Amino acid sequence: MAIRRPGPARNTDAIARMIRIDHAGEYGAVQIYRGQRAVFGRLPSKTRIARQLEHMEADEQSHLDAFDRYIAERGVRPTALSPVWRMAGFGLGVATALMGEKAAHACTEAVESVIEGHYGEQVKELEAMGETELAADFARYQAEEVAHKDLAVDEGAHDAPGYPLLSALIKTGCRIAIRVTERI
């Protein structure tokens, strides 16, 4: 049995996992916002939240575009679960939008709370590996995710019906998706 030691090959594997996971996460985030906009975008009384969601979706799409580039540049295999994350993300977006504006914001707050910590850990790992440019990119994405979370809280995420349960379920789903995407 070979012993894996720290070094370039190990770092390459770790970075590939990060890129695969984050690519899938950004893809899922775009789908969540598309699902929410599919509901709110049809209602004239919901133009304010539809615009907020459109802005956050654009940020996530920008992140996804960057991860598309990382995948191509570094030869990383994307997750085979993209069709699953597409349906799950869009479905979560529709479901939380149908529950109301506060539930849609609770979804954003829950997802971004997990992702804030996730990106934070990755930034530290990347800095330790000497991947300062990638670490800076990830730190920027993290800051934008935190801004989404803060907006969601300001818009009443914690006042959503059944917030503690809804938030816990979404956070658990995010953590499971991260673990599964590490390998598949």
Side-chain angles (χ1 to χ4, degrees):
M1 178 191 225
I3 297 174
R4 295 198 64 163
R5 292 191 168 87
R10 179 105 188 232
N11 290 351
T12 300
D13 291 347
I15 292 168
R17 268 193 309 279
M18 288 180 200
I19 291 171
R20 180 174 29 264
I21 291 164
D22 296 351
H23 179 264
E26 298 296 350
Y27 182 68
V30 168
Q31 297 307 315
I32 290 170
Y33 290 124
R34 285 183 180 166
Q36 290 174 335
R37 287 191 323 110
V39 173
F40 292 129
R42 298 173 191 269
L43 304 171
S45 64
K46 302 295 181 183
T47 55
R48 183 171 178 271
I49 189 171
R51 276 194 229 118
Q52 290 172 334
L53 297 169
E54 184 176 16
H55 173 76
M56 291 187 287
E57 181 186 330
D59 287 345
E60 304 297 354
Q61 184 62 55
S62 173
H63 303 169
L64 178 58
D65 293 344
F67 280 99
D68 282 337
R69 283 190 304 278
Y70 301 144
I71 282 175
E73 291 168 358
R74 293 177 180 252
V76 174
R77 175 189 56 80
T79 183
L81 296 173
S82 291
V84 173
W85 301 147
R86 179 177 187 264
M87 290 186 309
F90 192 85
L92 178 60
V94 168
T96 55
L98 290 172
M99 293 171 65
E101 289 185 40
K102 291 183 188 316
H105 286 302
C107 178
T108 296
E109 186 269 339
V111 170
E112 302 299 22
S113 292
V114 172
I115 301 311
E116 175 184 5
H118 176 72
Y119 270 135
E121 291 170 12
Q122 289 180 335
V123 167
K124 288 178 189 172
E125 282 184 65
L126 290 167
E127 287 171 344
M129 291 178 201
E131 287 278 347
T132 55
E133 187 177 325
L134 200 55
D137 288 349
F138 281 29
R140 183 172 43 85
Y141 308 146
Q142 179 190 32
E144 290 172 358
E145 307 296 6
V146 170
H148 298 168
K149 179 188 77 172
D150 292 346
L151 173 68
V153 170
D154 291 346
E155 292 293 323
H158 295 160
D159 299 325
Y163 169 78
L165 179 60
L166 179 62
S167 179
L169 288 171
I170 293 169
K171 287 177 180 179
T172 299
C174 288
R175 290 183 185 108
I176 290 169
I178 289 168
R179 300 296 291 172
V180 169
T181 304
E182 284 179 357
R183 307 255 186 266
I184 301 173

